[in-house]
Amino acid sequence: INYNGAINFLDEFKKFKTPFIFASTCSNYGVSKGLVNENAKLSPLGPYALAKVKVEKEILKKYKFAKILRFGTLAGSSIRPRFDTMLNEWVLEAISKKNIVCYAPNAYRPFVHVEDACSATLTIINKWFNLKSNVYNVASFNVTKKELALAISKKIKCKLKFINKGPDKRNYRVSSNKLKKETNFEFTKDLNYCISEI
């Protein structure tokens, strides 16, 4: 679905030369040192990111009419709220279970509020013909999983359990400076806003 579905769409859009935005993921960076930009080496670790990277490569090779947006982990409220993304899920667990279990607490993750993700997408559409690049990171803030757990527990009193190792090896921080510089886009929702909203 994640690969063939996207390629089928791209093939259809190609006939009409219609601009196309591919929703990709910052998970493509997998494990990285320091703050990474869009030129950093991609190290996808799971089937989801592997499929996204595979589509990205096809886009850059064959579908020049498409732009790639690599989104950080989505957070915040929406019409169909998600509670399978880390920040939202942990707030829910803090409220319902009074407990958060945090694996690999020193691993970094980038986050973006769903409204900022939508606004960034609209900005790309509105400035399409002025864009200089094909790939943009869309992430508002980077925090370690420990920092996230502590910020949630500060607002919602709950127990925290930190386990140094876990099945998820991802650890990456991303820069969205290219998006900001080329489009003058500004993120409006920070970590505390996301937690408070949920």
Side-chain angles (χ1 to χ4, degrees):
I1 291 169
N2 283 337
Y3 175 72
N4 290 331
I7 296 301
N8 288 342
F9 271 120
L10 284 157
D11 284 340
E12 289 301 314
F13 273 70
K14 192 175 183 180
K15 297 174 188 175
F16 305 103
K17 296 184 170 62
T18 305
F20 187 100
I21 293 174
F22 178 62
S24 195
T25 173
C26 287
S27 285
N28 293 350
Y29 297 115
V31 176
S32 60
K33 291 182 179 179
L35 199 63
V36 297
N37 62 26
E38 292 82 353
N39 296 320
K41 181 183 176 184
L42 300 180
S43 303
L45 296 178
Y48 173 74
L50 282 163
K52 293 290 189 181
V53 168
K54 197 174 174 185
V55 176
E56 282 195 19
K57 287 179 179 176
E58 291 290 316
I59 286 172
L60 295 173
K61 187 167 63 176
K62 296 196 299 189
Y63 304 97
K64 301 299 182 185
F65 61 92
K67 302 292 183 190
I68 298 164
L69 300 188
R70 291 179 185 149
F71 292 101
T73 301
L74 289 171
S77 181
S78 58
I79 293 171
R80 205 285 282 167
R82 288 184 61 178
F83 290 100
D84 60 335
T85 61
M86 186 176 287
L87 188 151
N88 290 12
E89 182 180 11
W90 281 6
V91 171
L92 177 63
E93 288 179 0
I95 294 168
S96 62
K97 299 179 182 177
K98 306 296 182 190
N99 185 48
I100 295 173
V101 178
C102 174
Y103 292 92
N106 295 318
Y108 275 94
R109 286 286 190 285
F111 292 88
V112 60
H113 189 283
V114 65
E115 286 184 24
D116 279 338
C118 292
S119 296
T121 304
L122 285 172
T123 298
I124 291 293
I125 292 168
N126 291 331
K127 302 200 173 185
W128 190 270
F129 297 105
N130 298 322
L131 297 174
K132 300 173 184 176
S133 305
N134 294 100
V135 185
Y136 296 90
N137 290 335
V138 184
S140 176
F141 55 91
N142 298 281
V143 291
T144 65
K145 295 201 286 192
K146 182 177 182 179
E147 288 169 337
L148 174 60
L150 289 170
I152 292 170
S153 68
K154 188 175 179 182
K155 288 190 176 290
I156 307 159
K157 302 303 178 191
C158 66
K159 294 179 181 178
L160 299 177
K161 183 176 181 180
F162 297 106
I163 301 171
N164 286 331
K165 291 185 178 181
D168 190 343
K169 306 297 182 189
R170 289 176 298 164
N171 183 4
Y172 53 97
R173 289 181 289 157
V174 306
S175 167
S176 298
N177 284 342
K178 183 163 72 168
L179 173 68
K180 294 176 185 177
K181 189 175 179 182
E182 284 195 25
T183 68
N184 294 317
F185 181 77
E186 292 294 334
F187 294 94
T188 61
K189 310 288 193 296
D190 62 10
L191 170 63
N192 287 321
Y193 182 95
C194 291
I195 294 169
S196 297
E197 183 178 77
I198 293 298

